[in-house]
Amino acid sequence: MKRFLLPFCLLFFGLRLAAQDATATDHVLWYDEPAGYFEESLVLGNGRVGATVFGGVETDTIFLNDLTLWSGEPVDTSIDRDAHEVLPAIREALARDDYEAADSLNVNLQGPYSESYAPLGTMHLHFDGQAKPTKYYRELDIANAVARVRYRAGGTTFEREYFVSHPDQVVVIRLTADRPGALNTTLDFKSLLRYDFARGNRQLDVHGYAPYSAEPSYHDVPDPVRFDPERGTRFSSLFRVSKTDGQVSVSDSTLSIRNASEAVLLVSIATSFNGFDKDPARQGRNNRTLAAQALEVAASYSCDALKERHIADYRGFYDRVQLDLGSTDAPLLPTDARLQRYATGAEDTQLEELYFNFGRYLLISSSRTPEVPANLQGLWNPYLRPPWSSNYTTNINVEENYWLAGPANLSELHEPLLGWIRNLAVTGEASARNYYNSGGWSVAHNSDIWAMSNPVGEKDGGVNWANWNMGGAWLATHLWEHYLFTLDTAFLHEEAYPLLKGATQFCMDWVVRDYQGHWITSPSTSPEAKYVTKSGYVGSTLYGGTADLAMMKELFDDFIGASLTLGIQDSFLQEVYNVKAELHPYRLGRKGNIREWFYDWNDEDPRHRHQTHLFGVHPGHHIAPDLTPQLARAARVSLDLKGNESTGWSKGWRINLWARLWDGDRAYRLYRSLLKYVPAKGAVHGGTYPNLLDAHPPFQIDGNFGGAAGIIEMLVQSTEDHIRFTPALPKAWSRGSLTGVRTRGGCEVTLEWSENRLQRTTIKALKDTRTTVIHGQRELPLRLKAGESRVMNW
């Protein structure tokens, strides 16, 4: 008998290692029970269509979304065309330091709220005769963008596989049972929108429409969601059994499969959205035809072929970057249990890698639709009035969604945001004129798929958030950033430069002189924060807010850089130089911090989640330890005063800020805090739900993107003329490597380190480039031809 023992042991341990490879990696989320809440589910997407999978045994719930399905219609740019007439009164109140009067007047510079991202609906798969399951296993393989469920029930092994294909634009679900005839399921569909069913051959069709208006959940008004059959975006969702060995039947509202061992379901979704300026009911695309055409093409492929095409497309993005933070002694546990163990302070470098990779996965999955960027919840939303309308919040959130794009070698995924900015410039010209009597274009606090750009609030919103108007200035910096990562001069000349010039024109028209002769903004606010004057007044409106000035400094630098790159020398450029030189300078507070307010006032909330006055540190580039050491030290003090505890997206931002201040251990401490376990429906701020989605709470995707971007920022930082390696390497990452990331200046780099010391780097130039490589005190000038690589041993 002994001769059989060794092969048996090898087989046993081989299977065990295979299980570990499948579950304890940095590319797989896995669980030993179905999801009970959205925060435990697995999210899939192809950049437009999203599926949220719960993996239930008796009933599998799958939320469906389409990134282009919103409430609303094109913006009416004639609204509030005379609103700017109140500006002189606001400025006069500020000139006499009557901040209460300024606040009360400032509400007149408020217009309609944004529209809401809508849920398409929920499909259910009801499975007949399911016994109590054993050996339940659920996973999301983010290396291939495929979800799976497997369990045993009644002596049968049931398996499901789910993916959302970009090449074929369908949701694919494969159901199998290892016993003939054991698979019996019924599909139904429900939606919070208006809809009707239609029957087809082995197919159930749903056609409906979204509201023409949906107010934010925090705006309490009668009839907040309004439907009209003649208005709003149309949608179609088609469900087809493309393959099965069982019997298929279709009723008025269900699709059933009986006595099967295998079935392949295809779901094709389309909407009538035809652009930000087209009425989706009268000028929309034919959603019925588009959905039917995609379904017919997809049905011509086998499930294996669809999967191969899907994976090849997806991995073309995902495989570009690899992160290795060294070996781990963490035990083999489900992902939610790993998070709970990690929250106790235990080491798990592969969990840290997994969170980084999950951020890249989410960006690939939610940002591939022209002119429609990932929103506040990326792509995945089940609510008719979602938190904050699941809109585009421009005072940090939508920008943070895209910090990962350039460095993570995903610049193509930046393009939906850039196309949307182009749309905003159109409506933003009206907003600049109507509300601010300015040229150029501007964007305020909130926006939506219709490129709404006006300040929201409806004349009674909180001034501290509704009246902020520098969204265009912030967004425009993404145009120059995209150029720096791609060196695409055609993009810079044809798209970026005109938009940068328009955003700059607004700022040039908006500034006024202060009593010392400096250029400032008036009125001004600092996103969502409030000040306390020395007399005790708690207010929002002021002049010369530091956040405004920081963004203008960065925007002016970007515009100047674009002008010089394109060889444009004109009188407007000279005017920008002049105003930039005379902007109100940064001032330090009595605590050694960078002032957020024009005067050295206290903050109503000293640990407020926003830190926009530190914009120059990150995402800007004009405050740095080597460039402006005094301001960098003051930024550290400001962050120390803020502390570590905050919301998810705020922690993501602070990770990047500490990395830019070259404090890797502080950045790492915040990264660990961002991965703090938050149970589904938990109310803890600034952590991670069981499915790795960011717990703002509730779920906001920007924390995922900001945290993932912070990993790269700790290891590689760049400007248009230098690359800095391991500027904020934490002690906890004693060895590791990072491969395939991009830098400003058009390079792709790889680095390896051990014993907390950089060992080796490789730099490949995508185009002819000249840069300076920096590590510690060493600076090495480097000139490379396109395609040339340079290996450096440190």
Side-chain angles (χ1 to χ4, degrees), residues 72-152:
E73 298 164 322
V75 170
D76 179 0
T77 56
S78 67
I79 290 176
D80 288 338
R81 63 175 56 187
D82 298 324
H84 62 269
E85 293 178 358
V86 76
L87 273 173
I90 298 173
R91 286 172 171 163
E92 288 170 10
L94 289 171
R96 62 177 186 269
D97 293 333
D98 188 347
Y99 303 105
E100 186 172 1
D103 274 340
S104 65
L105 288 166
N106 211 0
V107 296
N108 294 289
L109 293 179
Q110 293 180 4
Y113 285 98
S114 76
E115 292 298 339
S116 297
Y117 180 47
L120 187 141
T122 303
M123 65 178 290
H124 299 103
L125 295 174
H126 304 285
F127 296 92
D128 298 348
Q130 294 289 310
K132 185 175 180 180
T134 60
K135 299 182 179 178
Y136 182 92
Y137 176 80
R138 177 171 62 102
E139 74 167 23
L140 174 60
D141 172 5
I142 61 174
N144 295 296
V146 176
R148 299 179 183 88
V149 169
R150 182 177 64 248
Y151 57 89
R152 291 213 26 109

Side-chain angles (χ1 to χ4, degrees), residues 22-57:
T23 56
T25 78
D26 52 359
H27 301 284
V28 177
L29 291 71
W30 71 279
Y31 307 85
D32 56 11
E33 60 184 6
Y37 300 97
F38 172 85
E39 294 81 5
E40 298 168 336
S41 65
L42 302 177
V43 295
L44 297 162
N46 67 358
R48 177 180 65 87
V49 174
T52 303
V53 179
F54 281 65
V57 174

Side-chain angles (χ1 to χ4, degrees), residues 422-619:
R422 185 170 60 246
N423 298 340
L424 284 168
V426 176
T427 64
E429 286 186 6
S431 292
R433 180 177 62 250
N434 295 348
Y435 293 92
Y436 310 114
N437 197 29
S438 297
W441 61 276
S442 67
V443 178
H445 169 62
N446 285 145
S447 188
D448 53 27
I449 198 171
W450 311 108
M452 189 207 78
S453 53
N454 59 265
V456 299
E458 293 280 25
K459 311 297 188 289
D460 63 1
V463 171
N464 61 315
W465 50 268
N467 283 73
W468 182 77
N469 64 357
M470 298 300 289
W474 190 335
L475 285 163
T477 64
H478 278 254
L479 300 159
W480 180 241
E481 283 282 283
H482 184 73
Y483 167 74
L484 290 180
F485 280 100
T486 63
L487 300 186
D488 184 344
T489 52
F491 164 78
L492 183 64
H493 179 264
E494 296 165 14
E495 296 190 46
Y497 177 79
L499 295 172
L500 280 164
K501 185 174 183 179
T504 301
Q505 181 68 67
F506 169 74
C507 292
M508 295 284 287
D509 290 352
W510 182 235
V511 293
V512 296
R513 294 279 191 181
D514 69 6
Y515 62 87
Q516 294 177 316
H518 294 125
W519 291 110
I520 59 169
T521 55
S522 178
S524 174
T525 62
S526 196
E528 305 190 32
K530 293 184 178 182
Y531 56 76
V532 182
T533 67
K534 291 185 178 178
S535 66
Y537 176 71
V538 178
S540 304
T541 307
L542 74 156
Y543 50 82
T546 302
D548 289 1
L549 298 167
M551 285 178 205
M552 286 194 293
K553 289 175 190 287
E554 196 70 21
L555 175 61
F556 290 171
D557 281 344
D558 291 354
F559 175 73
I560 291 167
S563 299
L564 298 180
T565 300
L566 296 173
I568 297 173
Q569 297 274 0
D570 57 18
S571 59
F572 182 70
L573 177 63
Q574 188 57 54
E575 292 172 15
V576 174
Y577 272 121
N578 295 340
V579 171
K580 178 177 178 289
E582 296 179 356
L583 283 173
H584 184 79
Y586 284 102
R587 300 292 193 197
L588 303 190
R590 60 190 179 280
K591 298 177 182 177
N593 57 305
I594 292 179
R595 282 189 203 167
E596 186 164 0
W597 318 106
F598 188 88
Y599 297 107
D600 195 10
W601 291 331
N602 289 329
D603 302 309
E604 181 200 35
D605 177 5
R607 302 206 164 193
H608 195 272
R609 59 195 174 277
H610 283 264
Q611 46 263 329
T612 322
H613 61 304
L614 303 182
F615 184 93
V617 179
H618 183 279

Side-chain angles (χ1 to χ4, degrees), residues 675-694:
L675 269 66
K676 175 176 58 182
Y677 175 76
V678 178
K681 301 304 175 187
V684 177
H685 281 278
T688 297
Y689 289 122
N691 60 2
L692 292 192
L693 292 177
D694 172 66

